[in-house]
Amino acid sequence: MIAVKALLGVIIGAVIGTLLFVVAGYPLLVAAAGGRDMNGGIAMGMVTHIGPMGAFLGAVCGLGFALAQSRSSARQPMSEEARKRRSLKIFAVLVGLVAGYFVLLLYLQGPPRVSMQTEPDLHFEFRTSAESLVHSDTFTPRAELFGHYNNRVVPISTQIRIEDGEAFLSGSIQVEKGKGYDDLRLRAVLAPNLIVDTTVPLYPGAEVLPGLTEWQAVDYIQNPVTGESELGYSQKTHFYHYEVLPHE
């Protein structure tokens, strides 16, 4: 009988642990990442890492609970007053855990977000090595919005500066409703054979954190000459950041 209870404790604990870690952990990690999970990396991590960890810890806790219950049932029955005290302690612990979770969530979310209902301006900047740029009579580095499904291009007025061997491409664009920007990505065309692109909030109605974001690695690095494309998360050359401000 003890073996059956232990097995049930492991199974139920693993299921509850998985659900608890995934459901409760995902909002915390998204908040810690600045409220963005545009490429689904956090969600993938929840399934491949956080979920299994929750299952393991839940199984251990379920096994311990089942064994503790089996031992307590063999002892002298607990008085009604002792049961009430234990129930109050368990309730207080649960309330404390829930309250602590929401306090942590609010802390990670940071200051109130900026609403994009008013068609604000998105200011951005790409950072790369100066040698990555090709500047000639026939080619000038630029930034633009690009649609991969329809090859739509929205040019953006771009400024370029060079500092200590690094190149910076900056510009801004108004996030206007009805322009279909929600299907576009921001990219920098650095050379005829080098394009870097990323996802930024271009859809009115979203909310973003105020201020300038941290420097982040670009999503993709592409060579339009050969058609090759690679993920940009692990490289240390091409970065971007942005901020959203009211339209002037």
Side-chain angles (χ1 to χ4, degrees):
M1 188 65 181
I2 295 179
V4 174
K5 288 184 177 180
L7 180 61
L8 288 175
V10 169
I11 295 174
I12 295 175
V15 172
I16 294 177
T18 301
L19 294 176
L20 185 62
F21 270 59
V22 171
V23 173
Y26 183 73
L28 292 177
L29 293 179
V30 171
R36 299 177 69 237
D37 187 22
M38 292 185 179
N39 298 300
I42 296 177
M44 289 288 291
M46 298 302 298
V47 174
T48 58
H49 294 85
I50 304 300
M53 182 174 65
F56 174 75
L57 294 178
V60 172
C61 292
L63 177 61
F65 180 78
L67 294 178
Q69 287 294 104
S70 298
R71 292 194 191 98
S72 63
S73 62
R75 298 173 189 162
Q76 187 176 359
M78 187 180 298
S79 65
E80 187 65 25
E81 184 177 352
R83 288 180 183 274
K84 288 182 179 179
R85 284 200 301 267
R86 186 180 70 172
S87 298
L88 286 174
K89 289 180 181 178
I90 294 175
F91 179 76
V93 170
L94 292 177
V95 170
L97 290 175
V98 172
Y101 172 83
F102 283 103
V103 169
L104 179 60
L105 182 60
L106 290 174
Y107 173 77
L108 292 175
Q109 285 179 339
R113 296 173 181 272
V114 177
S115 174
M116 294 180 66
Q117 295 283 357
T118 55
E119 300 185 344
D121 290 331
L122 176 78
H123 298 267
F124 65 87
E125 190 170 46
F126 286 94
R127 188 187 82 200
T128 186
S129 62
E131 56 265 24
S132 296
L133 296 185
V134 170
H135 209 302
S136 65
D137 295 336
T138 58
F139 180 87
T140 300
R142 65 188 184 276
E144 60 192 20
L145 299 180
F146 179 74
H148 288 276
Y149 300 107
N150 55 13
N151 292 325
R152 179 187 176 191
V153 175
V154 179
I156 303 175
S157 177
T158 309
Q159 295 78 45
I160 303 173
R161 73 179 193 276
I162 307 294
E163 295 180 1
D164 300 326
E166 289 189 315
F168 299 84
L169 282 75
S170 59
S172 65
I173 187 169
Q174 186 181 10
V175 185
E176 299 180 79
K177 295 180 180 179
K179 294 289 187 178
Y181 289 169
D182 52 317
D183 293 329
L184 304 181
R185 295 172 62 84
L186 176 66
R187 73 179 186 179
V189 185
L190 306 178
N193 61 346
L194 178 59
I195 295 176
V196 298
D197 74 60
T198 189
T199 303
V200 292
L202 293 168
Y203 31 88
E207 292 185 339
V208 297
L209 289 171
L212 196 63
T213 66
E214 298 291 334
W215 285 109
Q216 306 170 60
V218 298
D219 294 344
Y220 295 97
I221 302 173
Q222 304 173 39
N223 185 332
V225 176
T226 63
E228 297 177 345
S229 177
E230 62 179 290
L231 294 175
Y233 304 121
S234 60
Q235 52 82 39
K236 303 296 182 183
T237 304
H238 311 295
F239 294 86
Y240 75 101
H241 64 186
Y242 66 85
E243 67 176 333
V244 175
L245 296 173
H247 181 67
E248 297 181 356

